[in-house]
Amino acid sequence: MNPYKVLGIRPTASVDEIKDAYESLASTYSVESYMNSPEEPLAEDKLSEINEAYTLLINNIKYKDIRNLIESGQFLSAETELNLIADETSPEWNYLKGFVMLKKGWFQSGVSHLKTAAELNPNNSEYKETLMLLAKKVNQIKMNYARAARARSAASNNNSMCGGGGQNNMCGGSPGGGGGGGIDPNLLNMMM
């Protein structure tokens, strides 16, 4: 469906032109105008198509605004705008939501939204490139995590003043051991 064709407007139409065209067509094909007539099912279909075209065009304008918010670091405002749209069937909505979730530190949710965007629109090179870049970063984090784990293991095998295990808080360990902190390796594995 070409939303511009459905609404009878040019691709450079302003928001006001989109709204005017929508209102005009919606009143022309309103259910009340065709009630109990043979054309009622056709009018309902046409009205549904008009509503879909309008929503698509208005949301695309909003997505551009949300991208600008994200690029300027206004993640809370971007998230608020995305929540107002809340169209989980839209690849762009999922893509932008994924970015916001990652910036908030919600790794699993962010990756999930980015993957959904790429699944909904597998031909979008931006979505694919973002996932590949994220996968590279995750691999780098995994390598750093493994390197740190090996270093902790090597340190625990020596007989230092700290008892070798790094369990003593004075030596930089955490109470109860575990060390490492950072990102849960199970979360990292979800990218692979």
Side-chain angles (χ1 to χ4, degrees):
M1 170 190 64
N2 181 339
Y4 297 103
K5 187 175 180 180
V6 169
L7 295 179
I9 55 176
R10 64 192 192 302
T12 58
S14 68
V15 173
D16 288 337
E17 290 172 318
I18 294 169
K19 287 180 180 179
D20 289 344
Y22 169 74
E23 288 170 2
S24 174
L25 289 168
S27 68
T28 301
Y29 291 99
S30 71
V31 176
E32 293 83 26
S33 300
Y34 290 91
M35 195 173 291
N36 298 324
S37 77
E39 291 89 17
E40 184 177 6
L42 295 173
E44 288 175 354
D45 289 345
K46 184 66 176 174
L47 190 56
S48 176
E49 184 180 38
I50 292 166
N51 286 332
E52 185 179 344
Y54 175 75
T55 300
L56 181 65
L57 291 177
I58 292 300
N59 283 351
N60 284 341
I61 291 168
K62 288 180 183 177
Y63 291 145
K64 288 177 187 174
D65 293 341
I66 292 168
R67 278 181 177 262
N68 290 334
L69 289 171
I70 290 171
E71 289 173 8
S72 65
Q74 298 178 40
F75 304 112
L76 183 58
S77 296
E79 182 177 20
T80 300
E81 291 298 319
L82 285 166
N83 289 341
L84 290 173
I85 296 171
D87 183 4
E88 295 182 18
T89 63
S90 164
E92 185 69 2
W93 184 88
N94 278 287
Y95 181 72
L96 297 174
K97 186 76 169 185
F99 256 96
V100 170
M101 294 295 100
L102 288 173
K103 287 296 186 178
K104 288 177 65 173
W106 296 7
F107 185 80
Q108 191 169 9
S109 178
V111 170
S112 176
H113 282 292
L114 291 173
K115 283 183 173 181
T116 299
E119 289 167 1
L120 290 171
N121 188 353
N123 298 323
N124 186 307
S125 60
E126 181 183 23
Y127 300 168
K128 286 187 218 175
E129 289 171 15
T130 299
L131 280 174
M132 288 189 325
L133 179 63
L134 190 56
K136 285 180 186 178
K137 287 184 178 187
V138 166
N139 283 333
Q140 184 62 47
I141 291 169
K142 284 174 119 176
M143 289 189 306
N144 290 345
Y145 188 86
R147 214 173 299 134
R150 282 192 304 270
R152 281 191 307 279
S153 177
S156 70
N157 290 334
N158 69 21
N159 289 324
S160 69
M161 275 189 342
C162 295
Q167 303 293 325
N168 186 330
N169 282 334
M170 289 177 34
C171 297
S174 60
I183 298 174
D184 180 352
N186 294 325
L187 290 176
L188 298 177
N189 287 331
M190 74 178 281
M191 282 298 295
M192 304 322 289

